[in-house]
């Protein structure tokens, strides 16, 4: 059986890797092909859905030993030949140096540091000092990841990003990307490997762009995979722990919450990672060969998806795409120190039509009463404290509409400026996708506002609000919010 379609470059080599090194087992109906979304995707031929009633949907199995995780990396490092102390020391120094740049050391940071170390060892020809069977698999997997292009902000021109965070300083996710790109963390790490760890004996063995490539590839493909705890392995009541993992082949599966027809799971007996098809969802889609879609996250926030995966999802039937906008800094002068962290940035819910265009925009409120109380305190000079809830809601929605009008003009000015900039080779303007999305979203909200308030006696401000149905949904929405970072308190990054 061949997994990689012949239309893919080096398909024979990739098929050998999948079977011999990854040791993947898969349905004959599964294939990796070019996706209409860009890049590659997993596809399945419905002719290969078994007819038996008790089929569990498994179409792909990746052995636990072929999954790239911190546990795998530690096992590889422990397998170093005793006499090869330099190799072991090199890995340890890479971990220490890379993680020292992090504000918070996460599993992702550690995994990136390991992968950079293994990539360099592979180029030096000393990866064989690590005797674990996984070492060879990891080396070839990294070669594939180095060719995996993700069009996110890490590829953008840093001057464009600096201008964005200067104009819109409340977007803390973009700020973190810019901080790492602008302060030269990747360049310092590549330089440290070249000059100090390898003592300039292998000049140019690793570039800053290659460090960024590994960071981008890993963070766009990592999954939170459960592990069965060894003390309860195999039982139905087994305890689980969650860890970040890279799962080869499964990581070709693209995301679409409207078209989800598969999900990943584990084999409780051995921690193999499985991809399982939902036959009913699959059969409802037209045609015979369909792309396999999983969900990277059941709830999507535009900036997080663009920063991590390189695209902004557009949803039809499922939950809306959420957009977190740094709004409350507009009223920072009216807030006490305690109140600053009580209400985060403004969250909007966006729904799109079949053509991908935005059809509806609403303000998300996890606690409408809290927002109304805040508005009353903010607008005391206008005697809002004596207003009814409906009157306060109308003033709140109007304030948001007016602010979005100003916000739209700022976005347009930035976009006009960005369009005139000539970029270095290989640099892009992915930030403009976020800007364009913000412009269309704000203009749609203005149109919806006009529609709902056109007739004075029939004004329906509640139609512009999406309130959380319960505490669970409220907490889910709150988890999407950016950390509030008020404009007048922002320490601007100097260009």
């Amino acid at each position: 059986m061949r997994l990689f379609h012949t239309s893919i470059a080096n398909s024979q080599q990739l098929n050998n890797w999948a079977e011999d090194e990854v040791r993947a087992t898969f349905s004959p109906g599964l294939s990796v092909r070019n996706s209409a979304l860009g890049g590659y995707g997993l596809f399945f031929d419905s002719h290969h859905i078994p007819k038996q009633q008790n089929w569990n949907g498994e179409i792909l199995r990746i052995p636990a030993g072929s999954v790239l995780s911190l546990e795998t990396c530690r096992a590889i490092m422990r397998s170093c030949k005793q006499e090869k102390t330099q190799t072991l020391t090199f890995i340890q120094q890479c971990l220490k140096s890379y993680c020292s740049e992090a504000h918070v050391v996460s599993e992702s940071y550690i995994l990136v540091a390991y992968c950079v170390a293994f990539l360099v060892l592979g180029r030096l020809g000393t990866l064989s000092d690590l005797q674990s069977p996984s070492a060879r698999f990891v080396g070839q997997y990294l070669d594939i990841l180095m060719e995996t292009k993700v069009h996110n902000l890490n590829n953008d021109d840093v001057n464009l990003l600096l201008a964005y965070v200067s104009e819109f300083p409340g977007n803390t996710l973009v700020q973190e990307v810019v901080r790492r790109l602008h302060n030269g963390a990747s360049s310092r790490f590549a330089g440290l490997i070249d000059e100090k760890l390898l003592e300039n004996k292998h000049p140019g063995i690793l570039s800053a762009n290659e460090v960024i490539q590994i960071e981008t590839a890993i963070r766009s493909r990592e999954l939170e995979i459960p592990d069965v705890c060894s003390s309860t392995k195999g039982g139905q009541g087994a305890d689980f722990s969650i860890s970040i993992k890279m799962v080869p082949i499964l990581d070709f599966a693209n995301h679409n919450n409207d078209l989800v027809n598969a999900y990943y799971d584990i084999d409780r007996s051995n921690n193999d990672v499985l991809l399982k098809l939902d036959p009913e969802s699959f059969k409802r889609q037209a045609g015979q060969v369909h792309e396999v879609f999983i969900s990277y996250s059941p709830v999507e926030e535009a900036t997080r998806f663009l920063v991590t995966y390189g695209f902004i999802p557009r949803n039809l039937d499922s939950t809306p795409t959420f957009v977190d906008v740094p709004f409350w800094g507009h009223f920072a002068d009216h807030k006490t120190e305690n109140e600053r962290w009580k209400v985060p940035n403004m969250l909007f819910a966006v729904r799109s039509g079949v053509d991908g265009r935005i059809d509806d925009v609403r303000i998300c409120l996890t606690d409408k009463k809290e927002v109304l109380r805040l508005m009353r305190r903010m607008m005391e000079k206008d005697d809002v404290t004596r207003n009814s809830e409906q009157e306060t809601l109308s003033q709140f929605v109007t304030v948001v509409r007016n602010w979005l009008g100003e916000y739209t003009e700022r976005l347009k000015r930035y976009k006009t400026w960005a369009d005139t900039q000539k970029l270095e080779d290989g640099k892009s303007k992915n930030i403009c996708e976020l800007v364009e999305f913000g412009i269309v979203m704000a203009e749609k909200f203005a149109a919806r506002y006009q529609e709902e308030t056109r007739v004075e006696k029939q004004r329906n401000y509640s139609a512009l609000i999406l309130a959380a149905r319960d505490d669970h949904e409220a907490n889910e929405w709150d988890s999407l919010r950016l950390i509030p970072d008020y404009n007048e308190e922002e320490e601007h990054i100097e260009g």
Side-chain angles (χ1 to χ4, degrees):
M1 291 189 297
R2 290 292 180 259
L3 179 64
F4 288 84
H5 194 265
T6 54
S7 61
I8 292 177
N10 301 318
S11 60
Q12 184 59 52
Q13 180 182 350
L14 290 169
N15 281 318
N16 293 339
W17 171 76
E19 295 178 26
D20 300 337
E21 303 300 334
V22 180
R23 295 172 290 121
T25 55
F26 49 91
S27 165
L30 187 68
S31 60
V32 179
R33 305 183 182 204
N34 292 300
S35 170
L37 300 177
Y40 300 141
L42 290 179
F43 290 78
F44 191 77
D45 186 339
S46 59
H47 284 125
H48 291 274
I49 295 178
K51 295 181 179 180
Q52 64 262 35
Q53 294 295 318
N54 60 348
W55 181 53
N56 69 358
E58 181 182 323
I59 57 174
L60 174 68
R61 176 181 289 262
I62 304 298
S66 297
V67 173
L68 183 55
S69 65
L70 293 188
E71 183 179 352
T72 308
C73 293
R74 292 185 188 112
I76 293 173
M77 189 169 72
R78 288 195 298 267
S79 73
C80 186
K81 298 175 182 177
Q82 288 186 349
E83 69 274 14
K84 300 295 183 179
T85 56
Q86 286 183 325
T87 297
L88 184 61
T89 300
F90 175 77
I91 298 173
Q92 293 169 335
Q93 289 178 328
C94 283
L95 289 168
K96 180 179 179 181
S97 301
Y98 185 77
C99 293
S100 67
E101 294 275 1
H103 284 170
V104 177
V105 178
S106 63
E107 284 185 80
S108 294
Y109 260 89
I110 301 171
L111 193 57
V112 169
Y114 269 119
C115 287
V116 170
F118 294 151
L119 179 69
V120 173
L121 290 174
R123 291 176 174 179
L124 292 172
T126 56
L127 197 59
S128 58
D129 293 347
L130 307 170
Q131 297 176 295
S132 168
S134 299
R136 177 175 166 79
F137 143 71
V138 168
Q140 293 180 320
Y141 188 31
L142 289 174
D143 289 340
I144 293 173
L145 293 181
M146 291 302 291
E147 299 299 322
T148 302
K149 300 304 179 186
V150 180
H151 300 288
N152 65 10
L153 301 188
N154 282 326
N155 300 307
D156 274 13
D157 179 79
V158 70
N159 291 320
L160 284 182
L161 297 177
L162 285 167
Y164 179 87
V165 297
S166 177
E167 182 65 23
F168 309 101
N171 194 320
T172 49
L173 268 180
V174 177
Q175 284 175 358
E176 176 57 19
V177 173
V178 176
R179 184 191 70 80
R180 284 195 57 79
L181 290 176
H182 183 59
N183 73 8
S186 301
S187 296
R188 284 196 299 279
F189 185 46
L192 180 141
I193 288 176
D194 190 3
E195 297 170 15
K196 293 187 177 181
L197 304 190
L198 299 180
E199 300 176 340
N200 288 317
K201 294 177 181 178
H202 304 276
I205 196 166
L206 182 73
S207 69
N209 285 339
E210 288 177 316
V211 175
I212 293 172
Q213 170 63 26
I214 293 179
E215 293 173 338
T216 302
I218 288 179
R219 288 171 186 150
S220 67
R221 301 167 86 87
E222 64 188 15
L223 297 170
E224 291 186 344
I225 304 287
D227 281 317
V228 179
C229 297
S230 57
S231 59
T232 59
K233 187 168 287 189
Q236 288 299 311
D239 292 332
F240 292 88
S241 61
I242 301 294
S243 60
I244 297 296
K245 295 183 179 181
M246 302 278 292
V247 187
I249 302 172
L250 171 58
D251 58 16
F252 285 115
N254 287 313
H255 164 94
N256 189 315
N257 275 346
D258 287 326
L259 300 176
V260 169
N261 51 25
Y263 61 96
Y264 54 87
D265 198 359
I266 61 165
D267 186 326
R268 295 175 181 228
S269 66
N270 56 16
N271 275 332
D272 286 356
V273 179
L274 315 175
L275 178 62
K276 292 186 175 182
L277 200 69
D278 178 358
E280 293 307 315
S281 296
F282 204 82
K283 289 175 181 176
R284 286 196 295 268
Q285 298 169 353
Q288 297 173 346
V289 177
H290 311 286
E291 183 159 3
V292 176
F293 290 109
I294 61 174
S295 175
Y296 296 168
S297 171
V299 184
E300 306 152 326
E301 197 280 318
T303 305
R304 294 179 188 277
F305 260 73
L306 182 64
V307 167
T308 305
Y309 304 112
F311 68 93
I312 297 175
R314 309 294 177 96
N315 289 332
L316 302 176
D317 302 326
S318 57
T319 58
T321 299
F322 294 93
V323 186
D324 194 274
V325 178
F327 170 80
W328 288 107
H330 185 66
F331 294 110
D333 291 341
H334 297 273
K335 302 174 80 174
T336 68
E337 191 63 34
N338 289 336
E339 289 168 346
R340 288 184 186 278
W341 295 96
K342 196 170 185 180
V343 181
N345 297 336
M346 185 68 70
L347 195 67
F348 293 88
V350 176
R351 292 188 185 278
S352 302
V354 292
D355 58 358
R357 296 182 180 180
I358 294 176
D359 275 353
D360 187 32
V361 180
R362 301 189 188 192
I363 303 167
C364 295
L365 294 184
T366 54
D367 188 339
K368 183 161 67 174
K369 290 183 178 179
E370 182 177 334
V371 171
L372 295 178
R373 287 195 298 269
L374 178 64
M375 283 298 297
R376 289 187 176 114
R377 288 196 296 272
M378 288 177 177
M379 311 298 289
E380 280 181 351
K381 60 184 179 182
D382 295 329
D383 294 326
V384 179
T385 51
R386 294 195 295 270
N387 288 352
S388 67
E389 180 174 310
Q390 183 60 28
E391 288 171 327
T392 306
L393 180 63
S394 69
Q395 190 154 17
F396 164 67
V397 173
T398 302
V399 166
V400 173
R401 191 282 309 265
N402 292 341
W403 181 85
L404 279 177
E406 301 169 12
Y407 180 65
T408 305
E409 292 307 310
R410 291 163 58 202
L411 288 171
K412 287 180 176 179
R413 286 196 298 271
Y414 174 86
K415 179 64 168 57
T416 299
W417 171 81
D419 287 342
T420 66
Q421 302 304 299
K422 295 181 179 180
L423 306 184
E424 298 176 11
D425 290 343
K427 295 299 180 182
S428 51
K429 299 180 180 180
N430 295 300
I431 189 64
C432 289
E433 181 178 352
L434 186 62
V435 171
E436 290 166 356
F437 188 82
I439 292 170
V440 177
M441 182 201 76
E443 290 180 337
K444 186 63 181 180
F445 185 85
R448 290 276 290 113
Y449 178 93
Q450 184 69 23
E451 178 184 329
E452 297 296 342
T453 61
R454 182 179 294 111
V455 181
E456 184 174 353
K457 293 184 178 180
Q458 298 178 5
R459 289 175 177 171
N460 184 10
Y461 294 97
S462 294
L464 299 167
I465 299 291
L466 182 63
R469 292 170 294 185
D470 50 39
D471 288 344
H472 174 75
E473 186 167 67
N475 291 334
E476 199 170 46
W477 290 1
D478 281 337
S479 70
L480 299 173
R481 296 184 186 275
L482 306 176
I483 298 172
D485 198 345
Y486 297 107
N487 297 356
E488 72 290 341
E489 294 182 347
E490 175 62 26
E491 294 183 6
H492 294 284
I493 302 174
E494 299 298 332

